[in-house]
Amino acid sequence: MKKLLFLFDTDPVPSVFDTVVGYDGGADNVTGYAAVAPDNVGALIDGCIYTRGGKDKQNTAIFVGGGNMAKGEELFETVKKHFFGPFRVSVMLDSNGSNTTAAAGVALLAKGRDLKGKKAVVLAGTGPVGMRAAGFFGMEGCDVTITSRTKERAEEAAKVIAKRFGIKVSGAAGATDEERAEAVKDANIVYSAGAIGVQLLPKSAWENNPNIELLADVNAQPPMGIEGVDAMDKGKDVGGGKLGYGALGIGGLKLKLHRECIAKMFESSEGVYDAEEIYALAKEMA
């Protein structure tokens, strides 16, 4: 019985990255479908849940991806609602790699230090990875703030995160170096989730700040999002006892986590892997 993974991608072209990791995670065959949406996914789900019976169903799994987390969440909910009784297969949500990337990053920080009660600031926190990271910090008991180009946009995203994870999140303006430096002034943890090749925080904004203990940056392309944190850093002392985590240092766990989630989907027909389940696994693996 072949292990079949079906990629339901919300983008115009199915993700090559997700296809490769699907195979590396143990699938015998990966089939990607593009531009999948709630109004056209029904027949695809039917093909997954009605073709195999009993324990054979665990050899079919669904991965919801694409670059837009809002669209991915809507599609993920539609897939789950379509299941009933024994007519279900395991399903995972990882739009834009945000669940696995954010889970890996925060899990590594949680391994390095106790996060409870710490103030965490997620720079450029309105994107998929930043919003998920903020949620995970909240789950760890942190006081969480996210930044965006405008305070209004940050506060709007903060409300979405708060509703999704049942936590309190604040929003702050972070359009300039000065605004971002002000935002991290009292922070213990700084997590940079901005676009590749964009520096969000110069070294001068954190190196002499006695409050900051942990710095993480998911940008792998120079210039780094946080100056002074290298892409390869993984719990490296970057000065004054501060621990730095770079994109490739985080990326190693992210890929292992992604592959492990794929493998676990084929252990039963009832697995559901969203933020909470993926983060719990990340903490085990960290």
Side-chain angles (χ1 to χ4, degrees):
M1 185 65 65
K2 298 291 186 181
K3 295 178 180 177
L4 307 179
L5 180 66
F6 294 94
L7 304 182
F8 293 174
D9 200 307
T10 58
D11 289 346
V13 179
S15 168
V16 172
F17 185 100
D18 293 338
T19 300
V20 173
V21 182
Y23 280 111
D24 290 347
D28 295 311
N29 192 78
V30 181
T31 303
Y33 293 90
V36 182
D39 62 358
N40 65 17
V41 73
L44 298 177
I45 303 170
D46 289 345
C48 291
I49 65 176
Y50 291 128
T51 47
R52 289 170 164 175
K55 291 199 68 176
D56 288 344
K57 283 188 184 296
Q58 72 185 51
N59 294 298
T60 301
I62 295 171
F63 180 99
V64 177
N68 187 305
M69 174 55 82
K71 289 183 178 180
E73 287 181 319
E74 185 181 11
L75 182 60
F76 187 66
E77 291 303 314
T78 300
V79 171
K80 290 190 296 179
K81 288 177 181 178
H82 205 86
F83 296 158
F84 66 98
F87 296 99
R88 65 185 66 244
V89 297
S90 288
V91 59
M92 175 180 173
L93 172 64
D94 199 26
S95 295
N96 208 37
S98 53
N99 274 336
T100 50
T101 300
V106 178
L108 286 172
L109 297 184
K111 177 187 176 184
R113 300 276 171 87
D114 181 10
L115 304 187
K116 187 174 182 179
K118 303 293 185 181
K119 180 172 182 178
V121 175
V122 182
L123 301 176
T126 59
V129 174
M131 292 178 73
R132 280 306 199 244
F136 297 143
F137 281 126
M139 288 169 59
E140 289 290 342
C142 293
D143 175 1
V144 186
T145 297
I146 63 170
T147 73
S148 186
R149 290 185 179 90
T150 67
K151 185 175 182 180
E152 291 74 21
R153 187 181 179 199
E155 290 177 338
E156 182 179 334
K159 291 177 183 177
V160 174
I161 301 165
K163 181 178 180 180
R164 169 63 181 80
F165 289 94
I167 60 174
K168 182 180 178 181
V169 184
S170 301
T176 66
D177 283 346
E178 291 75 20
E179 287 180 336
R180 292 188 290 271
E182 178 65 23
V184 305
K185 183 175 63 175
D186 299 323
N188 308 117
I189 305 161
V190 180
Y191 191 105
S192 177
I196 60 172
V198 177
Q199 180 179 293
L200 294 178
L201 199 68
K203 192 173 182 179
S204 60
W206 63 263
E207 64 178 338
N208 295 318
N209 185 327
N211 298 314
I212 294 176
E213 304 173 20
L214 299 167
L215 299 130
D217 178 18
V218 297
N219 172 20
Q221 181 176 309
M224 300 294 103
I226 300 178
E227 185 183 17
V229 176
D230 186 77
M232 294 298 295
D233 289 348
K234 188 177 180 181
K236 177 184 175 181
D237 188 330
V238 293
K242 297 171 172 53
L243 303 184
Y245 297 81
L248 299 182
I250 294 169
L253 177 58
K254 179 264 188 295
L255 281 171
K256 291 177 182 177
L257 174 63
H258 192 154
R259 290 193 290 263
E260 183 65 15
C261 287
I262 298 296
K264 282 189 170 295
M265 283 203 288
F266 293 116
E267 292 179 0
S268 81
S269 61
E270 298 184 357
V272 177
Y273 294 88
D274 194 356
E276 291 83 355
E277 295 81 11
I278 292 172
Y279 184 57
L281 184 56
K283 292 192 71 174
E284 291 178 19
M285 296 177 69

